[in-house]
Amino acid sequence: MAASFSSTAPTTPALRFRASYSKSLLSLPDSYLRIIASARSPSARLIACSLKTDKLGLGAGVHLSGGPVVKPSLQKRLVIRSATIEEIEAEKSAIENDVKSKMEKTIDTLRTSFNSIRTGRSNAAMLDKIEVEYYGSPVSLKSIAQISTPDGSSLLLQPYDKSSLKAIEKAIVNSDLGVTPNNDGDVIRLSLPPLTSERRKELAKVVAKQSEEGKVALRNIRRDALKSYDKLEKEKKLSEDNLKDLSSDLQKLIDIYMKKIEELCKQKEKELMKV
């Protein structure tokens, strides 16, 4: 067994082991290692120390080979970047804008539904919800016909395509409008009979039902927004106080839109009760 020593400078010895001898050197008994360690050569003592340490178990990545001792590789550091104040504010703003947009759409949908409910006078909006089967696809009635109100108790429908007259007539009959269409081959006339007291009560119930559905939609929007805020709080982007403030602001906003629904409902009920 042999090991060669070389130094690039008198005071800085560099150890180099032949690869074929690395296992043999590690198998030396402790007594041999002590003899090497007692040598006057600093290089020999360093070899003995290294071998003895290796026998005890060196750290991961350190081994004896034909080249220099390999240093342990540096572990990769996991860097977690905190969100900036601007990013957090942007997320909050996005949630708020989404809430307002959805609540506005809820009000618009409810207003359209109320307009389609017949009152004492004729109104083209009464036909807004009626869809016609046109060439195999459902389309809104107002998109395929011109609608006018000759007087306060009738509607006149003039289709852009006369071949759709039968389909329009069928759609009106199947609707909940409660009128019988008069098709003369060119236009369709709708005569609106006076509302009976019983019919007014039925329509008032429809208005109340649609109002409640609108309120439920607003509550669902609030629920989803609160979930988004809770997520930001769990991600440590919002404090507990921030969450309380945002929840309070959200409640104030939904109260405003709830009031809008109530006002629309009262207005429609008032129209229904007019004789």
Side-chain angles (χ1 to χ4, degrees), residues 16-198:
R16 297 185 183 277
F17 299 95
R18 295 179 182 175
S20 59
Y21 293 148
S22 59
K23 293 184 179 179
S24 299
L25 288 171
L26 289 175
S27 64
L28 286 173
D30 292 343
S31 59
Y32 277 42
L33 293 177
R34 285 194 294 271
I35 294 173
I36 297 174
S38 65
R40 300 180 66 179
S41 169
S43 298
R45 289 198 297 272
L46 184 56
I47 293 171
C49 181
S50 297
L51 291 173
K52 189 172 182 180
T53 303
D54 204 0
K55 290 182 72 174
L56 294 174
L58 294 173
V62 181
H63 62 279
L64 296 175
S65 64
V69 177
V70 180
K71 294 182 179 180
S73 60
L74 297 176
Q75 294 181 349
K76 293 182 180 179
R77 295 182 180 180
L78 177 62
V79 179
I80 300 177
R81 184 179 67 84
S82 300
T84 64
I85 295 177
E86 290 77 9
E87 290 172 336
I88 295 173
E89 288 298 324
E91 290 189 60
K92 287 165 54 181
S93 179
I95 294 172
E96 292 170 1
N97 291 336
D98 184 57
V99 167
K100 290 180 181 178
S101 175
K102 288 180 177 178
M103 288 188 177
E104 281 294 338
K105 287 180 180 178
T106 299
I107 296 298
D108 289 341
T109 300
L110 185 61
R111 187 180 286 110
T112 299
S113 296
F114 282 174
N115 288 338
S116 67
I117 295 176
R118 181 191 166 192
T119 56
R121 292 183 59 83
S122 60
N123 181 2
M126 295 167 54
L127 306 177
D128 283 352
K129 294 180 67 177
I130 295 180
E131 290 189 337
V132 180
E133 192 75 17
Y134 187 60
Y135 288 103
S137 300
V139 297
S140 63
L141 172 56
K142 62 182 181 180
S143 69
I144 61 172
Q146 181 180 350
I147 304 172
S148 58
T149 54
D151 52 59
S153 61
S154 65
L155 292 171
L156 183 65
L157 286 66
Q158 186 170 3
Y160 302 121
D161 178 5
K162 288 187 178 182
S163 67
S164 64
L165 277 169
K166 287 291 184 182
I168 292 175
E169 183 180 4
K170 180 179 179 182
I172 293 173
V173 171
N174 293 335
S175 71
D176 58 359
L177 196 59
V179 296
T180 302
N182 180 11
N183 180 2
D184 65 4
D186 291 315
V187 297
I188 292 178
R189 289 181 174 83
L190 301 177
S191 297
L192 307 176
L195 290 174
T196 64
S197 176
E198 189 66 27

Side-chain angles (χ1 to χ4, degrees), residues 190-231:
L190 301 177
S191 297
L192 307 176
L195 290 174
T196 64
S197 176
E198 189 66 27
R199 181 58 176 165
R200 292 177 192 274
K201 290 179 182 179
E202 291 176 358
L203 293 177
K205 290 180 181 180
V206 173
V207 170
K209 182 175 181 294
Q210 291 181 352
S211 296
E212 185 56 35
E213 290 173 350
K215 291 179 180 180
V216 170
L218 292 182
R219 295 188 190 103
N220 290 339
I221 294 170
R222 177 185 60 184
R223 178 201 61 200
D224 293 341
L226 287 174
K227 287 183 178 179
S228 298
Y229 287 142
D230 286 339
K231 183 175 181 291

